[in-house]
Amino acid sequence: MHTLDVALGARSYPIYIGQGLLGQDLLRRHVRASQALIVTNETIAPLYLDKAKASLGDLAQVDTLVLPDGEQYKTLATLEKIFDALLANRHSRTTTLIALGGGVVGDMVGFAAASYQRGVDFLQVPTTLLAQVDSSVGGKTAVNHPRGKNMIGAFHQPRAVLIDTTVLDTLPPRELSAGLAEVIKYGLIRDADFYRWLEVNMAGLMQREPALLAEAILRSCRNKAEVVAEDETEQGNRALLNLGHTFGHAIETATGYRDWLHGEAVGAGTMMAAQLSADLGWISQADVARIGALTRAAGLPVAPPPGMTAEQFRSLMALDKKVMDGRLRLVLLKAIGEAVVTDQFDMQVLTRLLEKMCQH
Amino acid sequence: MHTLDVALGARSYPIYIGQGLLGQDLLRRHVRASQALIVTNETIAPLYLDKAKASLGDLAQVDTLVLPDGEQYKTLATLEKIFDALLANRHSRTTTLIALGGGVVGDMVGFAAASYQRGVDFLQVPTTLLAQVDSSVGGKTAVNHPRGKNMIGAFHQPRAVLIDTTVLDTLPPRELSAGLAEVIKYGLIRDADFYRWLEVNMAGLMQREPALLAEAILRSCRNKAEVVAEDETEQGNRALLNLGHTFGHAIETATGYRDWLHGEAVGAGTMMAAQLSADLGWISQADVARIGALTRAAGLPVAPPPGMTAEQFRSLMALDKKVMDGRLRLVLLKAIGEAVVTDQFDMQVLTRLLEKMCQH
């Protein structure tokens, strides 16, 4: 087992990474009183809910809640079901919520924990690669609004993140690819060595070689933990983690959070950010080709969905959380392994890119 | 004009108290970018919305939202209307929300500001006595759940609190009394001098003598600011501010947040806490009589609503936020001017009190 620390002073917490961790007593150690609520979804419940419950051993009160599966349920309405379950079972301010699932479950349970009685403990047990390498670490929690993704939320750090790599055995292929989009992101924004390692090992990762997956998760979480420790509430460099996300969120919102997985939208969005960086003359077209090859090798789309228009992108991107006082800010590449957050780019270049990429 | 400081390090902010402040440029000074959304209710809008809007002067974008008036609308559903208005008008992360209204508007707008894009600025412009002396100061924000009051919320401090005492001229008599319940509270829990001042001046306060109201607001806010500065997130002594509130919340929940104002429920709840303190032998029956006399002089009820049962109290109080690991904690009096938060009391004495007070 590897243990990483997210260094945030009094809010610091461990990330445990290893095989079969859900069968150990790690969760129990981080429940501070006698109550817990495990929240999961219909896909994960039959696979791992009993195991998670058993791992809490002697705890006096362990309740469970099973939500529908899918980004389209990451709403205030579903959040209310979590509050209903907490209140119906009389959970007090010392309770612990446990998010057992992918990014949707983790984001919602985290926001429920941030808001229930103005803040209770929660633990992340991510069951998708995407949640393991990205969304479970760093305390960003949220639900979606019909007009925009993650528009309603809070910064609320978990007490621990438990990454059992065994659960990836049951992960559908599309979900594996979606997670790899965020893995590639770390290489692109700040870790050129890791990016080269991914180019060498992508085929093995797609074949789910356990040692390679463990290495990719560890290096991704280490990058994430470093960025979060430096900038918990995204006043500065944390925004680099959003490479491809402004384009990606527009795709997700335009398609109603139904057709594309978040990671797939990020994959296509990263290609758009890379191409824009090249069109601005910041990276070479050869760099874009390299990124395209790795993205395809990870089984990810490299262009927006057919039928989506440049006008949809412009309208939805204007609502992005990175807009500051009317100026659109994007994460763009200066090199493979180096990104910047900037509003200093020619909007006409962006407009031409959107027209070009939406013509297919 | 008086200015008090709520000392919370980087989150410190001023409380401005004075006549006619809404006509000055104080609000404008605390709006950091070019967008603002003023949220108010149907009662306050015709009285003060134009004035608040005008005070923002040259700001590029000022939107307004008028909500229905009443504690029964302090829900996730109404909160969603605030998010809808923010997104429909493309408010970015640098926007400022302005809560123009009583405690319900302030609590909801505060929670909307805490959650919108994971946190934006907000300003409090309280228009009821209760909001001016209590709920607008200290950063507690929340909405209600059908099963419990303020169960969903956040700690999120405003950037400034603007208390224009002129607005009390239009306050209905019941609302004035409701505010006085919280004023009396400060005397009871930590300020015996202020309590005696209130005994002398209650008749003048009920006649709305401006100088007396201003003095009561200033001394209340000073007490509140000191408590909050010592214990922002209620790990300890901040809970003293909840004197009468555990009983009061049970009354509000049992009556569907419709019949009694929050301050009225707190008035009756404070009498119940005082009588319990006497039944436990901590204060004298003469103290209880003094508190009863002041409560009546403020036009407040001194007993729970007819028809409410001891069993309802027991059930609803078990869900209170101050319950810790199964033990009910209450704020009780050791003297007039001194309160404690404790779970060290005989539950049978509480049971007998509930039976006795619910027989009328």
Side-chain angles (χ1 to χ4, degrees):
Chain A
M1 180 176 84
H2 292 279
T3 304
L4 293 172
D5 191 52
V6 184
L8 288 167
R11 291 185 306 288
S12 295
Y13 55 93
I15 307 171
Y16 304 110
I17 304 169
Q19 292 215 303
L21 299 190
L22 203 46
Q24 302 177 18
D25 70 339
L26 285 162
L27 281 183
R28 178 68 188 84
R29 277 192 233 166
H30 291 278
V31 174
R32 72 165 156 142
S34 61
Q35 296 179 307
L37 173 70
I38 307 174
V39 183
T40 188
N41 67 34
E42 289 166 348
T43 308
I44 297 300
L47 298 169
Y48 302 113
L49 183 53
D50 285 346
K51 203 165 194 174
K53 214 173 159 181
S55 80
L56 294 175
D58 60 322
L59 211 61
Q61 184 188 348
V62 181
D63 296 302
T64 60
L65 175 66
V66 180
L67 301 173
D69 185 11
E71 183 87 30
Q72 69 268 37
Y73 298 106
K74 195 174 132 181
T75 59
L76 280 177
T78 312
L79 193 71
E80 199 152 10
K81 289 187 187 174
I82 303 178
F83 296 131
D84 290 346
L86 287 165
L87 284 160
N89 295 294
R90 297 176 171 254
H91 283 256
S92 81
R93 202 148 70 174
T94 55
T95 191
T96 301
L97 272 64
I98 299 172
L100 175 70
V104 170
V105 168
D107 284 5
M108 272 199 295
V109 173
F111 187 42
S115 318
Y116 185 63
Q117 303 207 12
R118 299 195 186 95
V120 298
D121 285 357
F122 85 112
L123 308 177
Q124 288 273 20
V125 187
T127 59
T128 64
L129 179 61
L130 187 137
Q132 291 183 343
V133 298
D134 189 22
S135 60
S136 70
V137 174
K140 273 197 183 179
T141 73
V143 296
N144 299 327
H145 184 280
R147 288 180 189 263
K149 186 172 159 91
N150 291 338
M151 279 293 167
I152 306 162
F155 288 97
H156 188 61
Q157 300 294 342
R159 291 281 168 177
V161 181
L162 187 142
I163 300 176
D164 184 341
T165 53
T166 321
V167 305
L168 298 180
D169 296 347
T170 53
L171 195 68
R174 272 183 72 190
E175 295 273 2
L176 182 75
S177 293
L180 289 169
E182 303 283 4
V183 173
I184 292 169
K185 174 187 78 178
Y186 295 110
L188 284 172
I189 63 169
R190 71 193 304 271
D191 194 341
D193 276 352
F194 183 39
Y195 190 86
R196 282 186 291 274
W197 183 91
L198 288 170
E199 289 182 316
V200 172
N201 292 294
M202 187 52 77
L205 287 167
M206 289 294 278
Q207 285 157 29
R208 308 190 190 208
E209 289 185 22
L212 294 178
L213 281 173
E215 174 81 6
I217 293 166
L218 182 65
R219 292 177 81 162
S220 295
C221 284
R222 192 176 289 143
N223 274 295
K224 177 87 186 242
E226 285 172 11
V227 172
V228 169
E230 281 167 22
D231 179 21
E232 183 180 6
T233 58
E234 197 167 312
Q235 306 301 307
N237 274 343
R238 181 167 181 164
L240 297 178
L241 296 172
N242 294 318
L243 175 68
H245 283 60
T246 300
F247 296 101
H249 287 172
I251 293 171
E252 288 181 90
T253 304
T255 55
Y257 306 111
R258 279 164 203 274
D259 303 342
W260 283 34
L261 296 172
H262 172 66
E264 292 172 332
V266 168
T270 298
M271 286 311 301
M272 297 175 80
Q275 189 60 58
L276 179 57
S277 306
D279 291 351
L280 291 164
W282 297 356
I283 63 173
S284 68
Q285 203 57 42
D287 288 332
V288 177
R290 259 180 84 185
I291 300 167
L294 187 62
T295 303
R296 281 193 191 86
L300 291 162
V302 294
M308 196 171 160
T309 66
E311 178 47 36
Q312 281 180 296
F313 271 105
R314 274 193 297 272
S315 172
L316 291 165
M317 288 166 71
L319 275 176
D320 188 83
K321 287 193 291 299
K322 283 178 295 304
V323 169
M324 289 277 187
D325 229 359
R327 291 281 306 165
L328 177 63
R329 294 156 72 240
L330 289 173
V331 185
L332 296 174
L333 295 174
K334 289 285 184 179
I336 287 178
E338 187 194 348
V340 290
V341 186
T342 182
D343 63 1
Q344 298 299 306
F345 54 86
D346 187 339
M347 283 298 284
Q348 290 199 319
V349 179
L350 172 59
T351 302
R352 280 198 298 271
L353 172 87
L354 292 175
E355 301 290 350
K356 189 170 64 182
M357 294 201 78
C358 291
Q359 279 180 355
H360 63 289
Chain B
M1 181 175 82
H2 291 279
T3 305
L4 293 173
D5 191 51
V6 185
L8 289 167
R11 292 185 306 289
S12 294
Y13 54 93
I15 307 171
Y16 304 110
I17 304 169
Q19 291 217 304
L21 299 190
L22 202 47
Q24 302 178 17
D25 70 339
L26 286 162
L27 281 183
R28 178 68 188 86
R29 277 191 230 167
H30 291 277
V31 174
R32 71 164 157 145
S34 61
Q35 296 178 307
L37 173 69
I38 307 174
V39 183
T40 189
N41 67 35
E42 290 166 348
T43 308
I44 297 300
L47 298 170
Y48 303 113
L49 182 53
D50 284 348
K51 203 164 195 177
K53 211 173 161 181
S55 80
L56 294 175
D58 62 322
L59 211 61
Q61 183 188 346
V62 181
D63 295 302
T64 59
L65 176 65
V66 179
L67 300 174
D69 186 10
E71 182 86 32
Q72 70 269 38
Y73 298 106
K74 195 173 131 180
T75 60
L76 281 177
T78 311
L79 192 72
E80 198 151 12
K81 290 188 186 171
I82 303 177
F83 297 131
D84 290 345
L86 288 165
L87 284 160
N89 294 295
R90 296 175 172 255
H91 283 255
S92 81
R93 202 148 69 174
T94 56
T95 192
T96 300
L97 273 64
I98 298 171
L100 175 70
V104 170
V105 167
D107 283 5
M108 272 200 294
V109 173
F111 187 43
S115 319
Y116 185 63
Q117 302 206 16
R118 299 196 185 93
V120 299
D121 285 356
F122 85 112
L123 308 177
Q124 289 273 20
V125 186
T127 59
T128 63
L129 179 61
L130 187 138
Q132 291 183 343
V133 298
D134 188 23
S135 61
S136 69
V137 174
K140 273 198 183 179
T141 72
V143 294
N144 300 328
H145 185 279
R147 288 179 189 262
K149 186 170 159 93
N150 293 336
M151 280 291 166
I152 305 162
F155 288 97
H156 188 61
Q157 300 293 341
R159 292 282 168 176
V161 180
L162 187 143
I163 299 176
D164 184 341
T165 53
T166 321
V167 304
L168 297 180
D169 296 345
T170 53
L171 195 67
R174 272 185 72 191
E175 295 273 1
L176 182 74
S177 293
L180 289 170
E182 303 282 5
V183 172
I184 293 169
K185 174 187 78 178
Y186 294 110
L188 284 173
I189 62 169
R190 72 192 303 272
D191 195 341
D193 275 352
F194 185 37
Y195 189 86
R196 282 185 292 274
W197 183 90
L198 287 170
E199 289 182 317
V200 173
N201 292 293
M202 186 53 75
L205 287 167
M206 289 293 280
Q207 285 156 29
R208 307 190 191 210
E209 288 185 23
L212 293 179
L213 281 173
E215 174 81 6
I217 293 165
L218 182 66
R219 291 178 81 161
S220 295
C221 285
R222 192 177 289 143
N223 273 295
K224 177 87 186 240
E226 285 173 9
V227 172
V228 169
E230 282 167 22
D231 179 20
E232 184 180 5
T233 58
E234 198 166 310
Q235 306 301 306
N237 274 343
R238 182 166 180 165
L240 297 178
L241 297 172
N242 293 318
L243 175 68
H245 282 60
T246 300
F247 295 100
H249 287 172
I251 293 171
E252 288 182 271
T253 304
T255 54
Y257 307 112
R258 279 165 203 274
D259 303 341
W260 282 34
L261 296 173
H262 172 65
E264 292 172 330
V266 168
T270 298
M271 285 312 300
M272 296 175 80
Q275 188 60 59
L276 179 57
S277 306
D279 292 350
L280 291 164
W282 298 357
I283 63 173
S284 68
Q285 201 57 43
D287 288 333
V288 178
R290 261 180 83 185
I291 301 167
L294 188 62
T295 304
R296 281 193 191 86
L300 291 162
V302 293
M308 196 171 159
T309 65
E311 178 48 35
Q312 280 179 299
F313 271 105
R314 274 194 297 273
S315 172
L316 291 165
M317 289 166 70
L319 274 176
D320 188 81
K321 286 195 289 302
K322 283 177 294 306
V323 169
M324 287 278 186
D325 229 0
R327 291 280 307 164
L328 177 64
R329 292 157 74 241
L330 289 173
V331 185
L332 297 174
L333 295 174
K334 289 285 184 178
I336 287 179
E338 186 192 349
V340 290
V341 186
T342 182
D343 62 2
Q344 298 299 306
F345 55 85
D346 187 340
M347 283 299 285
Q348 289 198 321
V349 179
L350 172 60
T351 301
R352 279 198 299 270
L353 173 86
L354 293 175
E355 300 291 347
K356 188 171 64 185
M357 295 201 75
C358 290
Q359 277 180 355
H360 62 288

